[in-house]
mmCIF file of all heavy atoms in Angstrom:
data_model
loop_
_atom_site.group_PDB
_atom_site.id
_atom_site.type_symbol
_atom_site.label_atom_id
_atom_site.label_comp_id
_atom_site.label_asym_id
_atom_site.label_seq_id
_atom_site.Cartn_x
_atom_site.Cartn_y
_atom_site.Cartn_z
ATOM 1 N N LEU W 60 -38.390 -7.359 -166.549
ATOM 2 C CA LEU W 60 -39.557 -8.146 -166.246
ATOM 3 C C LEU W 60 -40.568 -7.490 -165.310
ATOM 4 O O LEU W 60 -41.724 -7.619 -165.458
ATOM 5 C CB LEU W 60 -39.127 -9.483 -165.639
ATOM 6 C CG LEU W 60 -40.177 -10.580 -165.317
ATOM 7 C CD1 LEU W 60 -41.032 -10.825 -166.595
ATOM 8 C CD2 LEU W 60 -39.569 -11.871 -164.804
ATOM 9 N N GLY W 75 -61.238 -6.997 -167.405
ATOM 10 C CA GLY W 75 -62.319 -7.594 -166.591
ATOM 11 C C GLY W 75 -61.862 -8.798 -165.765
ATOM 12 O O GLY W 75 -62.680 -9.387 -165.073
ATOM 13 N N ILE W 78 -58.427 -9.682 -160.964
ATOM 14 C CA ILE W 78 -57.270 -9.894 -160.124
ATOM 15 C C ILE W 78 -56.980 -8.612 -159.279
ATOM 16 O O ILE W 78 -57.095 -7.534 -159.761
ATOM 17 C CB ILE W 78 -55.971 -10.207 -160.977
ATOM 18 C CG1 ILE W 78 -55.784 -9.070 -162.021
ATOM 19 C CG2 ILE W 78 -56.038 -11.538 -161.618
ATOM 20 C CD1 ILE W 78 -54.421 -9.272 -162.748
ATOM 21 N N ASP W 101 -53.779 -3.927 -157.060
ATOM 22 C CA ASP W 101 -54.698 -3.166 -157.901
ATOM 23 C C ASP W 101 -54.946 -1.811 -157.265
ATOM 24 O O ASP W 101 -55.959 -1.176 -157.674
ATOM 25 C CB ASP W 101 -55.980 -3.923 -158.185
ATOM 26 C CG ASP W 101 -56.818 -4.139 -156.869
ATOM 27 O OD1 ASP W 101 -56.195 -3.953 -155.770
ATOM 28 O OD2 ASP W 101 -57.919 -4.589 -156.988
ATOM 29 N N ILE W 116 -35.075 -18.545 -148.407
ATOM 30 C CA ILE W 116 -35.540 -19.878 -148.856
ATOM 31 C C ILE W 116 -35.265 -20.981 -147.793
ATOM 32 O O ILE W 116 -35.728 -22.123 -147.942
ATOM 33 C CB ILE W 116 -34.969 -20.309 -150.157
ATOM 34 C CG1 ILE W 116 -33.421 -20.454 -150.041
ATOM 35 C CG2 ILE W 116 -35.271 -19.309 -151.256
ATOM 36 C CD1 ILE W 116 -32.798 -21.141 -151.214
ATOM 37 N N VAL W 169 -41.871 -22.565 -166.649
ATOM 38 C CA VAL W 169 -40.765 -23.447 -166.822
ATOM 39 C C VAL W 169 -39.910 -22.901 -168.026
ATOM 40 O O VAL W 169 -40.465 -22.666 -169.098
ATOM 41 C CB VAL W 169 -41.197 -24.851 -167.125
ATOM 42 C CG1 VAL W 169 -39.994 -25.811 -167.285
ATOM 43 C CG2 VAL W 169 -42.170 -25.344 -166.057
ATOM 44 N N SER W 171 -36.407 -22.817 -170.633
ATOM 45 C CA SER W 171 -35.836 -23.816 -171.638
ATOM 46 C C SER W 171 -34.712 -24.621 -170.872
ATOM 47 O O SER W 171 -34.401 -25.726 -171.389
ATOM 48 C CB SER W 171 -35.241 -23.042 -172.866
ATOM 49 O OG SER W 171 -34.228 -22.155 -172.444
ATOM 50 N N ALA W 209 -36.402 -14.605 -170.965
ATOM 51 C CA ALA W 209 -35.551 -13.605 -171.716
ATOM 52 C C ALA W 209 -35.173 -12.446 -170.809
ATOM 53 O O ALA W 209 -34.050 -11.975 -170.789
ATOM 54 C CB ALA W 209 -36.287 -13.137 -172.938
ATOM 55 N N ARG W 210 -36.140 -11.916 -170.017
ATOM 56 C CA ARG W 210 -35.949 -10.766 -169.239
ATOM 57 C C ARG W 210 -35.195 -11.027 -168.001
ATOM 58 O O ARG W 210 -34.464 -10.175 -167.451
ATOM 59 C CB ARG W 210 -37.243 -10.016 -169.019
ATOM 60 C CG ARG W 210 -37.706 -9.350 -170.291
ATOM 61 C CD ARG W 210 -39.159 -8.959 -170.192
ATOM 62 N NE ARG W 210 -39.539 -8.281 -171.427
ATOM 63 C CZ ARG W 210 -39.899 -8.882 -172.519
ATOM 64 N NH1 ARG W 210 -39.884 -10.212 -172.623
ATOM 65 N NH2 ARG W 210 -40.192 -8.236 -173.611
ATOM 66 N N ILE W 215 -30.501 -10.324 -164.833
ATOM 67 C CA ILE W 215 -29.326 -10.929 -164.286
ATOM 68 C C ILE W 215 -28.071 -10.272 -164.798
ATOM 69 O O ILE W 215 -27.119 -9.906 -164.030
ATOM 70 C CB ILE W 215 -29.320 -12.478 -164.510
ATOM 71 C CG1 ILE W 215 -30.387 -13.206 -163.742
ATOM 72 C CG2 ILE W 215 -27.895 -13.016 -164.202
ATOM 73 C CD1 ILE W 215 -30.563 -14.614 -164.119
ATOM 74 N N ASN W 236 -21.534 0.152 -175.753
ATOM 75 C CA ASN W 236 -20.301 1.009 -175.678
ATOM 76 C C ASN W 236 -19.134 0.249 -175.152
ATOM 77 O O ASN W 236 -18.701 0.565 -174.069
ATOM 78 C CB ASN W 236 -20.557 2.294 -174.948
ATOM 79 C CG ASN W 236 -21.836 3.063 -175.515
ATOM 80 O OD1 ASN W 236 -21.953 3.029 -176.755
ATOM 81 N ND2 ASN W 236 -22.547 3.737 -174.593
ATOM 82 N N ALA W 298 -7.726 -0.371 -151.788
ATOM 83 C CA ALA W 298 -8.213 0.994 -152.138
ATOM 84 C C ALA W 298 -9.472 0.942 -152.873
ATOM 85 O O ALA W 298 -9.848 -0.022 -153.529
ATOM 86 C CB ALA W 298 -7.127 1.738 -152.933
ATOM 87 N N VAL W 302 -16.501 8.129 -158.237
ATOM 88 C CA VAL W 302 -16.751 9.521 -158.683
ATOM 89 C C VAL W 302 -18.193 9.815 -158.412
ATOM 90 O O VAL W 302 -19.087 8.962 -158.377
ATOM 91 C CB VAL W 302 -16.441 9.634 -160.242
ATOM 92 C CG1 VAL W 302 -15.013 9.485 -160.489
ATOM 93 C CG2 VAL W 302 -17.268 8.631 -161.013
ATOM 94 N N ALA W 310 -24.078 17.197 -156.464
ATOM 95 C CA ALA W 310 -23.008 16.192 -156.430
ATOM 96 C C ALA W 310 -21.930 16.455 -155.356
ATOM 97 O O ALA W 310 -21.535 15.486 -154.658
ATOM 98 C CB ALA W 310 -22.384 16.070 -157.779
ATOM 99 N N MET W 331 -15.377 -0.528 -131.773
ATOM 100 C CA MET W 331 -15.562 -1.952 -131.557
ATOM 101 C C MET W 331 -14.277 -2.798 -131.549
ATOM 102 O O MET W 331 -14.100 -3.686 -130.787
ATOM 103 C CB MET W 331 -16.537 -2.434 -132.610
ATOM 104 C CG MET W 331 -18.024 -1.926 -132.480
ATOM 105 S SD MET W 331 -19.203 -2.756 -133.559
ATOM 106 C CE MET W 331 -18.736 -2.054 -135.117
ATOM 107 N N GLY W 354 -13.616 6.248 -169.493
ATOM 108 C CA GLY W 354 -13.657 5.442 -170.692
ATOM 109 C C GLY W 354 -13.256 4.014 -170.561
ATOM 110 O O GLY W 354 -13.002 3.464 -169.469
ATOM 111 N N VAL W 393 -10.478 23.374 -154.374
ATOM 112 C CA VAL W 393 -11.579 23.466 -155.293
ATOM 113 C C VAL W 393 -12.796 22.761 -154.881
ATOM 114 O O VAL W 393 -13.931 23.311 -155.092
ATOM 115 C CB VAL W 393 -11.098 23.034 -156.789
ATOM 116 C CG1 VAL W 393 -10.085 23.974 -157.335
ATOM 117 C CG2 VAL W 393 -10.605 21.621 -156.681
ATOM 118 N N ALA W 395 -13.600 22.300 -151.666
ATOM 119 C CA ALA W 395 -14.076 23.103 -150.526
ATOM 120 C C ALA W 395 -14.833 24.336 -151.075
ATOM 121 O O ALA W 395 -15.904 24.689 -150.485
ATOM 122 C CB ALA W 395 -12.944 23.528 -149.663
ATOM 123 N N GLU W 415 2.948 22.398 -159.801
ATOM 124 C CA GLU W 415 3.848 23.517 -159.701
ATOM 125 C C GLU W 415 3.639 24.307 -158.381
ATOM 126 O O GLU W 415 4.583 24.650 -157.680
ATOM 127 C CB GLU W 415 3.689 24.437 -160.921
ATOM 128 C CG GLU W 415 4.765 24.456 -161.837
ATOM 129 C CD GLU W 415 4.602 25.468 -162.950
ATOM 130 O OE1 GLU W 415 4.610 26.604 -162.710
ATOM 131 O OE2 GLU W 415 4.372 25.034 -164.096
ATOM 132 N N SER W 432 -2.801 8.991 -135.654
ATOM 133 C CA SER W 432 -1.416 8.742 -135.473
ATOM 134 C C SER W 432 -1.022 7.576 -136.354
ATOM 135 O O SER W 432 -1.310 6.449 -136.085
ATOM 136 C CB SER W 432 -1.073 8.370 -134.077
ATOM 137 O OG SER W 432 0.308 8.074 -133.892
#
Side-chain angles (χ1 to χ4, degrees):
L60 184 55
I78 55 173
D101 65 349
I116 65 167
V169 183
S171 61
R210 286 163 179 83
I215 288 169
N236 299 326
V302 292
M331 288 188 289
V393 290
E415 251 185 69
S432 177

